[in-house]
Amino acid sequence: MAASTDTTAAPSSTLRNASGNILAFFILLLIGVLAFSIRLFSVIKYESVIHEFDPYFNYRVTQFLTKNGVYDFWNWFDDRTWYPLGRVIGGTVYPGLTLTAATMWKALHFLNIPLSVETVCVFTAPVFSAFAAWATYLLTKEVKGVGAGLTAAVLLAMVPSYISRSVAGSYDNEAVAIFALIFTFYLYIKTLNTGSLFYATLNSISYFYMVCSWGGYTFIINLIPMHVLLCIVTSRYSPRLYIAYAPLVVLGTLMAALVPVVGFNAVMTSEHFASFLVFIIIHVVALAYYIKGILSPKMFKVAATLVISVGLVVCCAVVAVLIAVVASSPTKGWSGRSLSLLDPTYASKYIPIIASVSEHQPPTWPSYFMDINVLAFLVPAGIIACFSPLSDASSFVILYIVMSVYFSGVMVRLMLVFAPAACIMSGVALSEAFDAFTRSIKFYAFQTGDTVSASTVSMENNVKEIEKKEESLKKRPSKKNKKKEKENVEKPLKKSQTEKRPLILPVEASVFALFLTVLLAAFYVVHSVWAAAEAYSAPSIVLTSHSRDGLHVFDDFREAYAWLSHNTHVDDKVASWWDYGYQTTAMANRTVIVDNNTWNNTHIATVGTAMSSPEKAAWEIFNSLDVKYVLVVFGGVVGYSSDDINKFLWMVRIGGGVFPHIKEPDYLRDGQYRIDSQATPTMLNSLMYKLSYYRFVETDGGKGYDRVRGTEIGKKYFKLTHFEEVFTTHHWMVRIYKLKPQKNRIRGKTKKSRSKTSSKGPTKTRTITKKNPWH
Amino acid sequence: MLLFAICLRRRLTLQCSKPQQNYSVTPKPPTLEPEVETMANFSIATVFIASFSLLLSLTHSFSIENPTDRRILVLLDDLALKSSHSIFFNSLQARGFELDFKLSDDPKIALQRYGQHLYDGLILFAPATERFGGSLDLAAILDFVDSGKDLIVAADENASDLIRSIAAECGVDFDEDPSAVVIDHGSYAVSETEGDHTLIAADDFIRSDVLLGSAKIEAPVLFKGIGHSLNPSNSLVLKVLSASPSAYSANPKSKLSTPPSLSGSSISLVSVVQARNNARVLFSGSLDLFSNKFFKSPVQKAGSSNKYAKSGNQQFVTELSKWVFHERGHLKAVNVKHHRVGETDEPSIYRINDDLEYLVEIYEWSGSNWEPYVADDVQVQFYMMSPYVLKTMSTDKKGLYHASFKVPDVYGVFQFKVEYQRLGYTSLSLAKQIPVRPFRHNEYERFIPTAFPYYGASFSTMAGFFIFSFVYLHSKVYLQ
């Protein structure tokens, strides 16, 4: 259907052209609706809530922003997280998402549409995925025309990888950042095609928005220089390239430095280094081309050898200095996250805190199939299509997909960057395929219907058509730009076009292939809708499970947070593993020690150490941090597998990374992590084990069978000496403990038969403390 | 619904105030005038007052405003003790205490009724009692102490397991041998008949004016009973009267076959405990220590020519009971304030490098009224995981302590901390949380003098570029 709009553009038929445009417009509108509505499964199946962990922080920040304004947000010192260090939110957060949502909220209120901040936040991601689909259309249109653009937009609207991060409620940076990423690429290509300074400026602004939104902006600022370098190396340098690139570096870097979280990083860190290097190179090349224009070929040769010999010396010196400077810094100027991109084993070797995050793991093969489905097979075809003919724009798309395939292989989160590239490529491939098949069918249809028209005529027609298409590709920008004639002359495309013979297939084969292609696309749609409905819509704070006796809803997290907010003092500190930090501050409004913004490894290691220590040592650590309550997530009763016991080894590793007395082998029996009777004493005495399994045997009548680990637990009956259980949720998924206060008296050491004196109930707690008197 | 809630609340408050109405018969000691107001401020303003808030919550029985308005339950083995120890009891009554004498097996003994404590102090002069009457047992007594009430326990050579358990729970370990008493052949009290040297003249007092009063106890204290030991690592218990190095704990009637388990000056004769909630407990190994007979008897320590007409017991016991019943050494901190220098309002957040002042008033209960506490060693900490500022506060001798300092160049959630723990005094531990923020975006210097070359460079570049463009675009060469 997408291809039809293009191929129907018959010669000398402006009417048909216009109707094609209108059709394309409505298709785009429908694509937007599709992109928006496919992401509403979570709201329909669950409710309109913010999902997961980070979105809660963003939601809290947005609330603050709408309440206090931009300046207070910028200067916000949050004393409710990372106690007692606090966090300067304004300077450590990418503000793009929150500013966007707050602006939307303000605009809605200006129009007297009184939506709550939460509603706006929930629906930000679906709205922006519609934008992202349109941006994909624009980008692909620049590369391969309207047909490919529409196909790519449809594919992107429902690519499962992107859906996973942008369902309604998934209020995270990626929701707006993917749109910004694609739109920046579109503007870059647009500038490259037109050579317009206007688009170049827009490109810088779009890049600025991307920098505001997501740390993934480094992908842009490395990919575009790479493409520029590619163009230069393949001698495709043109003034348009210069206009597309130089303003982006200058304006983009200046504006990026305005974002507080980036600041001087925009010029200081190695991630941005490539852009400056290429900036220098493009100037040298521009100068060379300019001098080449002035001098005679002979003179130029002399000058070139002179410049190159001098230039090499200078370059060597500069490179040597740079290497020395970079090498003198401990991490070689790269931040840990970026290093793990280049060397996938880096993080797991040196930085457990990065390696421990699940979204930083390398993806498995099934996850490719899950996330991009049939696109995986269409991408190679798209790459081939992009090579015929190879233009600046298509070379960029090829570079984009090659780089993003690599990065997605390193870190599963970057599948998100890969997905748009895959959509574009598949859109191109599908569009070309439809083009070829329908052309063949039409060819035969014309042949049978009109006996006069020989095959050559329609062949010529087709050639013309294609030529026109190619021409229009380059003419479109020309409307605004006067320079285009010159540039078009430079293009060496003409020759290849005339030589090109359109491919005509037998009609049966075409029909059959068309049918197969449609079937393939249908599979994709079915899979995407399934993924959106079943796989990626769970908000993860509310869990459901289907069993024979119907649907079970586990709302334990909100139960626990509500308990905290109603039953504890507003200034009480709650310690938990950092996963639950954002939720605790946002939903329970209590101060936390560590949260999902894992900026301070030592602090997280302190909590990890406390969790892996025996009770008394843990009590002392927590008491020194003024902690009142400890929250653990435990899934052994209902079989919720991502609980703290399953994350415990990371606590040990991260804690041991800073405090060497915590050693991972102490928690492993023969290299195996187990919690049954074979578990090591260190493991069985650790605070995490005790807080998780305290009174656990009472749930199943003395067996103590852990449904996640599938074993009976090792130590079933024990008492807590320094902590007391204050709340356990309905399904035991969240357990909250309170630190016992220091004892009022210190007992003497006299040991006596206590049978006479301690006979009654109230002495129960005293008998506990008797075993472990502490001072 | 709301009305019901209000009613409920009112009923609660009524219950609370009832005992106080009963007590209003007894003369109230004068209180410091502005205190009622300031206390209110104080309790609202300070959230993190660890041990102090415990005391505040007990205002219906032992209030800081009138600490002596109190009733004491005295449990006796034998009503004869009432007359044989009458000097001690009379001295308490003279100081305004209301004593309620009961036999230890009286079935009507109860320390609390409907959750309210009936007494503010308990004197256990019933060493031989194995079981108390009524609802009183070990747990009830410990609960009594844990709710901030004071306790005096006297044992003797036939101390029961119950008394020993109470002591052990508080960190005082009486000699486990039930027949052992303290024997001292070195510093026994000289008497007409050469006895078994179990009547000891002890003069090894703790050196503390708070515990024993400022007047020096001249005469030795007569002691006859069992000794106990303390765990040196226990910071809550203090040895007030210790035995001489020649003392040991054994059965005087049998021969020593094994070395005595307790010997020398590690034997404690009288000890006090100040619990973390500032409840005070006195343990004595001798009931006779409090008796009229010992109060009046002349004393001469063996090997010493000094003969005193009267033993030191009365002074020792009276002064120590003053301490136990909070007539001395009870501190309170009120009016914790902090503000920027030159301002009076308390900010909710400080900025790094702010200059601030911290003020606190500390008073001591002198037995009749709150008097300014004067010391030069009260320190305030500005604390975030470790003290960033530790400053000794200056006092105006009227109870007001004051320190001013600069907030360190570190942001975070800080605490003003006063941790004042001195021998014999109730522990003061005040903590108040205050966040410290970094500079706002517009609080930095706009122009840094050292950066003027850079400003010059950038502006001259801009100007140069502008001129260059102008010249280049409009030069004749180009126009041609």
Side-chain angles (χ1 to χ4, degrees), chain B residues 66-252:
Chain B
N66 41 358
T68 57
D69 183 14
R70 313 207 290 159
R71 289 160 62 94
I72 294 171
L73 176 67
V74 185
L75 292 185
L76 306 170
D77 266 344
D78 181 356
L79 277 180
L81 286 171
K82 195 175 168 183
S83 52
S84 66
H85 291 60
S86 59
I87 298 178
F88 173 62
F89 293 135
N90 289 338
S91 79
L92 286 180
Q93 274 163 337
R95 298 211 304 268
F97 290 97
E98 200 178 308
L99 300 187
D100 191 356
F101 294 96
K102 284 215 169 89
L103 270 179
S104 57
D105 51 358
D106 188 335
K108 276 185 247 156
I109 299 176
L111 284 178
Q112 49 178 314
R113 190 184 296 148
Y114 309 129
Q116 300 291 320
H117 284 281
L118 300 173
Y119 302 99
D120 310 300
L122 176 63
I123 297 177
L124 285 181
F125 279 179
T129 308
E130 290 288 352
R131 271 187 88 98
F132 293 116
S135 63
L136 195 64
D137 59 0
L138 174 69
I141 289 173
L142 294 174
D143 185 51
F144 187 71
V145 173
D146 288 346
S147 52
K149 316 291 185 194
D150 307 319
L151 176 65
I152 292 180
V153 179
D156 61 9
E157 58 269 26
N158 37 24
S160 66
D161 273 356
L162 178 60
I163 297 294
R164 287 166 191 269
S165 305
I166 294 172
E169 288 290 343
C170 295
V172 170
D173 299 312
F174 281 114
D175 193 345
E176 285 179 50
D177 182 359
S179 57
V181 294
V182 184
I183 305 168
D184 193 338
H185 300 301
S187 56
Y188 55 91
V190 177
S191 60
E192 293 83 38
T193 55
E194 185 72 8
D196 48 10
H197 297 169
T198 55
L199 180 64
I200 296 165
D203 55 1
D204 191 1
F205 304 111
I206 191 171
R207 257 166 284 167
S208 164
D209 286 355
V210 188
L211 285 160
L212 296 178
S214 46
K216 192 172 180 289
I217 301 173
E218 298 287 347
V221 168
L222 286 172
F223 181 94
K224 184 181 170 62
I226 56 177
H228 56 261
S229 64
L230 309 174
N231 187 350
S233 66
N234 187 339
S235 57
L236 301 177
V237 62
L238 291 172
K239 197 189 284 183
V240 178
L241 182 65
S242 43
S244 75
S246 57
Y248 64 98
S249 176
N251 186 350

